[in-house]
Amino acid sequence: GQQLNQSPQSMFIQEGEDVSMNCTSSSIFNTWLWYKQEPGEGPVLLIALYKAGELTSNGRLTAQFGITRKDSFLNISASIPSDVGIYFCAGQPTNAGGTSYGKLTFGQGTILTVHP
Amino acid sequence: NAGVTQTPKFQVLKTGQSMTLQCAQDMNHNSMYWYRQDPGMGLRLIYYSASEGTTDKGEVPNGYNVSRLNKREFSLRLESAAPSQTSVYFCASWGRQGASGANVLTFGAGSRLTVL
């Protein structure tokens, strides 16, 4: 199946630092989604991107849909302790038809630890 | 509005036992999905149901069966549990969420299954 390479695998940062993580694919996607998962919970959507080149912000979070449609990045500015969790990127293939909308390919996740 | 609800939250089985994970969504979404999450592997699709009355295999369907009981409910069954099925299972549904109306994948809180 399609592969999504998410990096870094883990990050240990000090409170107040900025964070950047990215996902790359060998295939083109027409949608990129970024999720955050906290311990014992399901992934929660942070940002959704639907157009190549799109740059979207949600508070301290900013994500971009790469112009080649094969990559996306997520930035977190001025990190705080509650940013701790696992961040996943997910892509929807361009060949997705009416029955494939939710068949997302997920990255392996980035584990973020924030030290106060 | 509860979103996606799945039960049980925790379950311990012996090898060879069977069990069913239940999932229900109240967002009137057509498509529903079962994913499993293993360390370092991200989320992998087990089965999905594009609409009521249809089900299809995902990336890792072996050892599982599903039933789309109605538009709201989608269950996952392990007929003869194996230690390799120890994992965290997430149900999800795809459809419009929030005022923006964008289509996204919404997850339940997860079911942690241990097979001894």
Side-chain angles (χ1 to χ4, degrees), chain B:
Chain B
N1 188 346
V4 179
T5 303
Q6 54 180 112
T7 58
K9 198 165 179 64
F10 300 97
Q11 184 73 50
V12 179
L13 293 177
K14 295 181 180 178
T15 297
Q17 287 186 320
S18 62
M19 77 157 298
T20 300
L21 300 177
Q22 306 287 351
C23 175
Q25 51 93 9
D26 61 3
M27 297 174 286
N28 201 36
H29 290 170
N30 287 320
S31 303
M32 298 184 71
Y33 306 81
W34 276 104
Y35 286 85
R36 62 177 287 173
Q37 182 179 29
D38 303 291
M41 302 285 288
L43 291 116
R44 293 180 294 169
L45 183 64
I46 304 171
Y47 268 94
Y48 68 101
S49 171
S51 61
E52 187 178 353
T54 68
T55 61
D56 285 286
K57 296 178 180 179
E59 182 184 353
V60 288
N62 291 344
Y64 305 96
N65 285 302
V66 291
S67 295
R68 184 72 182 268
L69 305 172
N70 47 56
K71 189 171 186 179
R72 290 186 64 249
E73 299 173 287
F74 187 39
S75 63
L76 177 72
R77 182 161 179 84
L78 287 70
E79 291 290 352
S80 180
S84 61
Q85 294 178 302
T86 293
S87 187
V88 182
Y89 292 85
F90 289 99
C91 178
S93 68
W94 175 267
R96 297 191 181 282
Q97 182 188 61
S100 69
N103 286 323
V104 296
L105 196 63
T106 302
F107 287 89
S111 299
R112 183 174 294 275
L113 175 66
T114 301
V115 183
L116 303 175

Side-chain angles (χ1 to χ4, degrees), chain A residues 28-32 90-94 96 100-105, chain B residues 94:
Chain A
I28 291 173
F29 288 104
N30 63 10
T31 300
W32 283 95
Q92 181 189 66
T94 54
S100 305
Y101 284 150
K103 288 179 64 180
L104 305 180
T105 299
Chain B
W94 175 267

Side-chain angles (χ1 to χ4, degrees), chain A residues 26-48:
Chain A
S26 57
S27 304
I28 291 173
F29 288 104
N30 63 10
T31 300
W32 283 95
L33 305 172
W34 284 92
Y35 287 86
K36 178 188 177 185
Q37 184 181 25
E38 298 187 5
E41 301 294 329
V44 175
L45 182 70
L46 298 173
I47 292 178

